[in-house]
Amino acid sequence: MQLKTTILNPIHREMKAKMVDFGGWDMPLHYGSQLDEHHRVRNDAGMFDVSHMLTVELKGESARPFLRRLVANNVDKLVQPGKALYTCMLNPQGGVIDDLIIYFLTESHFRMVVNAGTADKDLAWMQARRDEIDPKLEIVSRRDLAMIAVQGPHARAKVWQVIPGARGETENLKPFQAAIWGEYFIARTGYTGEDGFEITLPSQHAVDFWRALHTAGVTPAGLGARDTLRLEAGMNLYGQDMDESTSPLESGLGWTVDLKSDRDFIGKAALLEHPVTRQLIGLVLTERGILRSHQKVVTSHGEGEITSGGFSPTLIQSIALARLPLEASAGDEVQVVVRDKALQAKTVKYPFVRNGKSLI
């Protein structure tokens, strides 16, 4: 099968990236040292090609009513242009079709960013739901755009070094806000637990922008560092920490679900009818070894399973997210079965790391 490529694919190869198949996309795993890329993001600034993710525009008078029905979080929170909302799109059984970000631009124009691996499924789902409400609502797929995430304590300063004219529009952005500067859509969002921007721009400008960021001292970083950074930050990965068979309420995403208002949304009835019995909680391994997804976790309240796990370069120990019985609480001693051997671990509240500092 021919792998899909982003507009930056040639420059990744020029920079000697190790390329891998990531959900059908040819993407950089690292550019030599995954550990170095991780630490550069935590201590300085790194950049990721996230152009495989899909930007979707919703245009029409029924955009807000459509989103009220489509997603679990309440889009009525979005009243200021550029404001962003993290949410999940659920199936009627309350399972997670995808997690995504919605930006409010105008009352008749919202922007969504969905995951690469679920993009086709998401579009088909949205189009079917659109036809039930308002067939005239436009759902526009924007594969003409690229997206580059610049993350780290010095990320914003280095972006302003490259596009100084954007500073005035973006310096006072709060987290989960975006601003438009020319052809750049600059959002103060990210997937690393560090400050920074996710910048959407026309594909034809992406290579020059990437090169300029590199000249300004921003380190290219691949999927490997992106995964260890997001795990330390306690951020879910679709397909591992949640999917269509799991509720957001048992995936640490209860804060993204609005069950208080009268608004009905797809999956709400199922969430109300089926109380959760499991929760997502953090694990820290207290012995030598590496925690991985699908390893069994034995607790005094019953068994569970690791959803995401790995070595934390910041904490220099193995950490994980695990779906455990609801009775488990931070500080519990548990056992993780690794290659038929039971290793000791401790449950903790996550995130593990935020803004370069350990939180455990």
Side-chain angles (χ1 to χ4, degrees), residues 103-208:
Y103 297 93
F104 172 64
L105 301 180
T106 71
E107 197 57 38
S108 60
H109 186 188
F110 290 75
R111 170 173 280 192
M112 308 169 70
V113 179
V114 305
N115 282 305
T118 57
D120 292 342
K121 176 183 72 170
D122 291 356
L123 280 172
W125 178 259
M126 286 188 279
Q127 287 161 353
R129 304 292 77 76
R130 181 268 314 272
D131 292 344
E132 297 168 356
I133 294 174
D134 179 10
K136 293 183 291 185
L137 177 66
E138 290 184 75
I139 301 177
V140 183
S141 175
R142 297 294 306 274
R143 278 294 176 205
D144 58 318
L145 299 175
M147 189 185 304
I148 296 171
V150 189
Q151 303 279 288
H154 302 145
R156 294 200 302 152
K158 291 190 174 182
V159 169
W160 293 327
Q161 185 179 331
V162 173
I163 44 174
R167 182 165 188 161
E169 291 289 333
T170 61
E171 188 167 20
N172 296 319
L173 283 181
K174 294 177 181 177
F176 266 69
Q177 284 186 336
I180 297 172
W181 182 76
E183 294 185 294
Y184 293 82
F185 185 84
I186 305 173
R188 197 173 175 190
T189 53
Y191 194 49
T192 62
E194 297 296 328
D195 201 358
F197 292 132
E198 290 180 312
I199 302 160
T200 305
L201 68 163
S203 291
Q204 63 266 31
H205 302 324
V207 170
D208 287 344

Side-chain angles (χ1 to χ4, degrees), residues 225-253:
R226 187 168 166 81
D227 194 51
T228 53
L229 290 159
R230 72 91 193 167
L231 178 58
E232 289 184 347
M235 294 178 174
N236 288 38
L237 175 63
Y238 188 83
Q240 285 191 201
D241 304 301
M242 75 290 203
D243 55 29
E244 289 201 45
S245 69
T246 57
S247 156
L249 303 180
E250 61 184 16
S251 304
L253 297 174

